[in-house]
């Protein structure tokens, strides 16, 4: 049961991510990728 | 206490490698495959790191920074959501520590107990590695590979103070994916076989360009994207192969099926599409940035045919194609990226006169002693004389090269003038496909007399064409690939492809004095400043690293002579054919 709940939770997270983010268009797009390296 | 940066790269599942910078000096770089003897090994590079520390006289505790050539969390988020370049993924990257996935940071922490850990965007490591080993102070860059975290191509501008990434293609089904898919479709299934398709292309005619074009959309800026959603995993790519068969009308070729004209034609068409798209990208970045120079890097920049044509086309005044621009140099690139960030605009000085950054061959195995050949007089003159008599010589001297290509430190050498040498090397020494061409070593100062370029190709990054005066005209039609291959198209046919192109390594005294001496001796003996150079390995095996590995490979092939450090050995020829085939079978799965 716990395993099923975990799986459901994971699926919900993935679904949320898919809904929240936009698909990239074909071709070039302007980059907003940061360059700075964060040390840990 | 010195600043010691350890760069760890190739952890996307292939070509793991490590590099060490000590106070800004590039001390060591090598690939893990050379230690584990598994080609393109993607396991955590413990052996390469250990050797890098040993060769630099350091321990794990001396390392002050570790930088990884990828952001694994971003990669995982992309694989999970299939939505690249997302703001949410970037935000999560700030909340969740990048080390969280753990598959890199945990084994690294076991070896390096106290250093600070950093994670770099994958393409930026390629850019830093290429830029800081290029001759330019400021340049535009174009990086294309299979897949970074969530992007497959990027372009921008870099100088000592600034690294500006302007444009990116935020998906993995781009140009690199197309080349890999068609490589698999043509029956070359092992990882990293794209160069075989590049070598096959000149045998064909590009009559399938229109059919291949049905598989993707593109635009005038080089924005190629496959219509099918394909991922860089085995199942997804195998499922996509029938789409290519449907488009071309030619069935998927099995690895053991015979190669026909139609396969060569498809390879030629793919190479044509690739070059067209790269040229569109390069024109776009020239218009966008107005820069004078271009650095071409990433795994796709290993396509030296496209790089050679780009350089000749002069879209940019200067072009540098990085010899370690693929993943095998990403640890080096990551270390340089961090070094430039820590240096905050101060010059990052790197000696790039050669990528001979690995270990020395080490002690010669005692069992070789009875087979030592006494050399009287000049060593290079003696070896050159043997080469001129048709002997095949393995050459293992000095520090090992970084990257996929043997650059004269772990090489097999032979006389390009000898008839049938290409087939002899391919079938009896390298045990690989007979159509595969070899690359020439040519004295830099004599290059224009033989090839249509006077520019350097110190690390085999560019192709050039044989000058017209040295060509023998070919018939318009051949009945088979074999017949075309065997036609004597010039006096050095083993290193000149059927379209008269050659993948040059120009040898300048300042870059590789050791090989310059040998080539000069060969020129004195024969009048020809050119030798065949191919990597010292057999099909499916990584290039040899140590003297012991060199001796073992020597015993199992038909190479005549072996140069180990400053000594020469002849082949005992003791192994039976069955013993050789058994030894060879150990590497068959990755061939």
């Amino acid at each position: 049961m716990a395993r099923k709940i975990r799986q459901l939770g994971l699926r919900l997270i993935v679904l949320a991510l898919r809904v929240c983010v936009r698909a990239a268009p074909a071709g070039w797009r302007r980059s907003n990728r940061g360059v700075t390296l964060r040390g840990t | 206490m010195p600043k010691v940066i350890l760069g760890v790269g190739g952890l996307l599942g292939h070509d793991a490698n490590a590099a060490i910078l000590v106070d800004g000096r590039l001390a060591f770089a090598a690939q893990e495959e050379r230690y584990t003897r598994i080609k393109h090994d993607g396991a955590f590079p413990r052996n390469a790191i250990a050797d890098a520390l040993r060769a630099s006289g350091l321990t794990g505790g001396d390392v002050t920074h570790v930088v990884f050539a990828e952001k694994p969390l971003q990669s995982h988020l992309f694989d999970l959501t299939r939505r690249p370049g997302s703001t949410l993924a970037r935000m999560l990257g700030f909340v969740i520590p990048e080390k969280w996935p753990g598959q890199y940071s945990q084994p690294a922490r076991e070896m390096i107990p106290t250093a600070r850990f950093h994670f770099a965007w994958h393409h930026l490591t390629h850019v830093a590695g290429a830029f800081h080993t290029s001759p330019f102070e400021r340049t535009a860059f174009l990086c294309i590979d299979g897949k970074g975290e969530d992007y497959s191509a990027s372009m921008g501008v870099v100088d000592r103070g600034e690294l500006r990434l302007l444009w990116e293609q935020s998906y993995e089904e781009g140009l690199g994916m197309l080349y890999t898919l068609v490589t698999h479709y043509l029956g070359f299934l092992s990882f990293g076989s794209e160069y075989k398709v590049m070598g096959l292309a000149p045998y064909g005619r590009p009559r399938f360009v229109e059919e291949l074009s049905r598989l993707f959309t593109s635009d005038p800026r080089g924005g190629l994207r496959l219509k099918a959603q394909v991922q860089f995993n085995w199942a997804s790519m195998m499922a996509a192969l029938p789409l290519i068969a449907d488009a071309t009308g030619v069935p998927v070729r099995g690895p053991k099926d015979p190669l026909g004209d139609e396969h060569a034609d498809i390879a030629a068409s793919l190479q044509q599409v690739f070059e067209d798209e790269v040229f569109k990208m390069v024109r776009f970045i020239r218009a966008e940035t107005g820069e004078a120079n271009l650095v071409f890097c990433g795994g796709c920049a290993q396509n030296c045919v496209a790089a050679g044509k780009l350089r000749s086309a002069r879209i940019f005044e200067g072009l540098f194609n990085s010899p370690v621009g693929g993943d095998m140099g990403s640890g080096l690139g990551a270390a340089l990226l961090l070094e430039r960030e820590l240096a905050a605009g101060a010059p990052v000085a790197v000696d790039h006169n050669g990528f001979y950054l690995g270990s020395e061959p080490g002690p010669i195995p005692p069992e070789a002693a009875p087979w030592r050949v006494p050399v009287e007089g000049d060593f290079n003159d003696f070896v050159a004389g043997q080469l001129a008599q048709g002997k095949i010589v393995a050459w293992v001297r000095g520090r090992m090269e970084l990257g996929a290509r043997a650059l004269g430190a772990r090489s097999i050498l032979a006389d390009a003038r000898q008839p049938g040498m290409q087939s002899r090397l391919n079938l009896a020494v390298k045990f690989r496909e007979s159509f595969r061409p070899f690359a020439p070593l040519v004295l830099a100062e004599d290059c224009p007399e033989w090839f249509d370029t006077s520019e350097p190709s110190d690390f085999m990054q560019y192709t050039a064409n044989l000058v017209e005066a040295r060509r023998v005209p070919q018939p318009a039609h051949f009945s088979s690939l074999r017949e075309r291959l065997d036609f004597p198209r010039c006096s050095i046919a083993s290193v000149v492809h059927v379209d008269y192109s050659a993948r040059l390594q120009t040898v300048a005294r300042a870059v590789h004095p050791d090989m310059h001496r040998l080539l000069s001796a060969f020129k004195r003996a024969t009048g020809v400043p050119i030798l065949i150079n191919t990597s010292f390995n057999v099909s499916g095996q990584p290039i040899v690293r140590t003297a012991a590995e060199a001796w073992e490979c020597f015993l199992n092939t038909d190479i005549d002579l072996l140069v180990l450090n400053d000594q020469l050995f002849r082949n005992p020829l003791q192994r039976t054919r069955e013993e050789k085939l058994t030894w060879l079978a150990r590497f068959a799965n990755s061939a």
Side-chain angles (χ1 to χ4, degrees), chain A residues 24 28-29 31 33-34 38 40, chain B residues 93 117 121 166 168 221 225:
Chain A
W28 293 103
R29 50 173 266 175
S31 175
R33 205 172 293 270
R38 285 195 307 133
T40 55
Chain B
F117 280 15
W121 289 112
L166 296 172
E168 64 189 47
R221 306 186 304 182
R225 187 173 193 177

Side-chain angles (χ1 to χ4, degrees), chain B residues 188-445:
Chain B
F188 304 109
L189 292 175
S190 58
F191 178 86
S193 293
E194 287 79 2
Y195 65 100
K196 297 181 186 176
V197 176
M198 188 182 76
L200 181 62
Y203 291 99
R205 287 181 298 117
R207 63 184 174 95
F208 287 100
V209 169
E210 198 180 318
E211 286 82 353
L212 288 179
S213 300
R214 288 187 206 132
L215 296 167
F216 56 82
T217 59
S218 185
D219 63 29
R221 306 186 304 182
L224 183 145
R225 187 173 193 177
L226 292 175
K227 290 175 183 168
Q229 197 178 64
V230 191
Q231 294 172 248
F232 265 104
N233 65 59
W234 189 251
S236 178
M237 289 196 288
M238 287 299 109
L241 300 190
L243 299 176
I244 307 175
D246 289 345
T248 60
V250 176
V252 178
R253 176 180 172 262
K256 298 218 159 74
D257 295 347
L259 269 173
D261 287 345
E262 67 278 19
H263 302 119
D265 291 346
I266 289 167
S269 307
L270 175 67
Q271 182 66 24
Q272 180 73 57
V273 168
F274 182 84
E275 289 169 17
D276 289 348
E277 293 297 320
V278 169
F279 268 70
K280 284 196 273 183
M281 288 177 172
V282 169
R283 290 197 180 97
F284 170 54
I285 188 168
R286 170 76 184 183
E288 182 69 24
T289 66
E291 294 292 328
N293 302 314
L294 179 73
V295 157
F296 186 31
C297 57
C300 292
Q302 304 287 295
N303 193 310
C304 53
V305 176
K309 290 180 180 174
L310 263 185
R311 186 160 72 162
S312 302
R314 297 273 169 215
I315 299 168
F316 283 82
E317 283 91 78
L319 180 95
F320 182 72
N321 179 24
S322 174
V324 291
D327 284 342
M328 68 286 289
S330 56
L332 178 150
L336 288 168
L337 185 67
L338 183 62
E339 171 70 17
R340 63 175 280 140
E341 181 155 303
L342 297 175
V348 175
V350 175
D351 176 10
H352 61 81
N353 266 349
F355 289 86
Y356 305 93
L357 296 165
S359 47
E360 297 273 353
I364 295 171
E367 61 268 30
W371 309 101
R372 184 164 171 239
V373 179
V375 176
E376 290 176 12
D378 183 82
F379 188 81
N380 287 301
D381 282 334
F382 185 86
V383 175
Q386 296 294 310
L387 285 162
Q389 289 172 29
K391 296 284 199 307
I392 298 172
V393 178
W395 185 267
V396 178
R397 277 155 75 104
R399 295 183 68 177
M400 179 176 65
E401 312 91 334
L402 178 67
R405 299 158 183 154
L407 298 171
R410 302 289 186 278
S411 288
I412 297 170
L413 309 173
D415 183 357
R417 303 168 308 151
Q418 306 280 337
M421 186 57 88
Q422 181 174 356
S423 290
R424 188 178 157 207
L425 273 172
N426 269 332
L427 300 175
V429 175
K430 300 278 284 188
F431 303 103
R432 66 181 205 182
E433 299 89 341
S434 64
F435 71 85
R436 303 261 300 275
F438 289 102
L441 287 165
V442 54
L443 281 176
E445 53 270 32

Side-chain angles (χ1 to χ4, degrees), chain A residues 17 21, chain B residues 73-74 77-78 81 83 85-94 150:
Chain A
L17 283 167
V21 300
Chain B
L73 177 66
Q74 293 294 325
L77 286 170
F78 171 60
T81 63
R83 297 293 172 96
S86 75
T87 306
L88 184 62
R90 304 279 164 77
M91 286 165 60
L92 285 172
F94 279 99
D150 58 357

Side-chain angles (χ1 to χ4, degrees), chain B residues 28-110:
Chain B
F28 189 95
Q31 294 140 265
E32 183 70 0
E33 65 162 27
R34 307 289 169 87
Y35 299 86
T36 61
R37 313 307 298 153
I38 301 168
K39 206 166 185 182
H40 300 295
D41 196 353
F44 184 79
R46 291 174 191 281
N47 299 291
I49 292 172
D51 203 21
L53 292 171
R54 185 198 53 73
S56 310
L58 300 166
T59 66
D62 296 324
V63 177
T64 49
H65 299 272
V66 178
V67 54
F68 298 91
E70 192 211 2
K71 288 181 181 281
L73 177 66
Q74 293 294 325
S75 225
H76 282 303
L77 286 170
F78 171 60
D79 289 342
L80 205 61
T81 63
R82 310 300 311 148
R83 297 293 172 96
S86 75
T87 306
L88 184 62
R90 304 279 164 77
M91 286 165 60
L92 285 172
F94 279 99
V95 178
I96 306 171
E98 195 64 57
K99 66 180 179 181
W100 171 66
Q103 78 265 38
Y104 310 164
S105 46
Q106 280 176 10
R109 189 53 84 194
E110 289 167 16

